[in-house]
Amino acid sequence: KQWYQRRVAITAGDPSLSNWVHHVQHILPQGRCVWVNPTVKTETEDFEDEEEEEEREEPDEPVPEHGPPLLNPISEDSEVDSMPAWSAGLTSNLVPQYAAAVLRSNLWPGACVFGLDKKFENLYIGWGHKYTAENYSPPAPAATQEEYPSGAEVTEVPDPTVDEERALQAVQQEQLDREAEEAEMEEDDEDED
C-alpha cells in the first residue's frame, strides 16, 4: 500500500495531466454553476411590473449556458495563449517519493491544487483576474507643474508685533488727518475765490 500511495503522488505530478479531473461544476459565463433564465420573473416582480409589462416588448429568449460534464479531464481544458491550462509538478525533486503533487492554473494565476496520498486541497490566492498576455499598465502620470513664480506679492512675511501694528495705525491716522486738513484748506480756498 505504501508503494501505491507514493506512486500515486509521482503519477499525479505527471505533466500529461491524465490523472486529474474536475470534480465540481464549472462556473458559467453568467457567474453561476446552474443556469438561471433572467427573463423569467418571480412572483414579487409580477405584481410590481404589471403596468410596465404592457409597454415593454418581449426580449428574445436567451440560450441556456452549459458547462463541461463532471469528471472531465483537465487535459481537455482549452489552452491559454498556447500554454496548457494547468502546469503540474512536485513539491520536491530531491525526494519525489515523499513529495506532494501540485497543479497551478495558467488561466487563473494564484489557483493551485495539491495532493498527497489521498488528501487533496484547492487554494486560491490572487486578484480575481484571468491571465492575459497584455498585462494592464496604467497610463503615465502627467508632467509635474512648474513652481509658481515667487515675488514680493506672494512671498510670506513674518507677522508684525503689537507695537509695530500700533505704530502703523498711528502713521495711517496721521496721514488721514493730513488729508482731511488739506481737503479743508482746499475748500476754504475755493470759498474765498
Side-chain angles (χ1 to χ4, degrees), residues 6-29:
R6 290 182 186 152
R7 185 73 185 151
V8 167
I10 293 171
T11 57
D14 181 22
S16 70
L17 306 175
S18 59
N19 297 315
W20 293 89
V21 295
H22 293 285
H23 73 285
V24 293
Q25 293 177 332
H26 282 251
I27 298 174
L28 302 173

Side-chain angles (χ1 to χ4, degrees), residues 145-178:
Q145 295 183 345
E146 295 289 326
E147 288 282 330
Y148 192 81
S150 62
E153 64 275 357
V154 294
T155 305
E156 292 186 23
V157 294
D159 290 336
T161 62
V162 175
D163 294 334
E164 291 173 343
E165 284 183 7
R166 288 184 183 151
L168 177 63
Q169 288 175 351
V171 169
Q172 289 174 344
Q173 188 62 40
E174 286 177 16
Q175 187 177 6
L176 288 173
D177 292 341
R178 264 191 250 129

Side-chain angles (χ1 to χ4, degrees), residues 5-159:
Q5 290 175 346
R6 290 182 186 152
R7 185 73 185 151
V8 167
I10 293 171
T11 57
D14 181 22
S16 70
L17 306 175
S18 59
N19 297 315
W20 293 89
V21 295
H22 293 285
H23 73 285
V24 293
Q25 293 177 332
H26 282 251
I27 298 174
L28 302 173
Q30 186 183 45
R32 303 170 184 241
C33 293
V34 178
W35 187 76
V36 175
N37 188 347
T39 59
V40 174
K41 296 182 182 179
T42 61
E43 292 178 14
T44 57
E45 289 177 352
D46 285 341
F47 293 120
E48 295 172 359
D49 295 338
E50 285 179 2
E51 296 174 4
E52 294 178 13
E53 188 174 305
E54 296 171 1
E55 298 172 5
R56 283 188 292 172
E57 295 179 11
E58 290 296 322
D60 294 339
E61 190 69 26
V63 178
E65 300 170 355
H66 298 285
L70 289 177
L71 302 179
N72 188 34
I74 65 171
S75 58
E76 294 178 7
D77 288 359
S78 59
E79 291 186 349
V80 179
D81 287 341
S82 70
M83 293 186 300
W86 296 87
S87 299
L90 297 174
T91 56
S92 172
N93 291 327
L94 298 175
V95 282
Q97 65 270 21
Y98 298 109
V102 178
L103 287 181
R104 296 186 195 286
S105 174
N106 293 324
L107 179 62
W108 291 96
C112 298
V113 178
F114 56 92
L116 182 63
D117 297 335
K118 294 182 180 180
K119 298 175 187 168
F120 296 90
E121 289 295 329
N122 299 311
L123 175 69
Y124 178 74
I125 301 174
W127 297 102
H129 295 283
K130 288 184 177 182
Y131 170 80
T132 58
E134 304 83 27
N135 289 331
Y136 173 74
S137 296
T144 55
Q145 295 183 345
E146 295 289 326
E147 288 282 330
Y148 192 81
S150 62
E153 64 275 357
V154 294
T155 305
E156 292 186 23
V157 294
D159 290 336

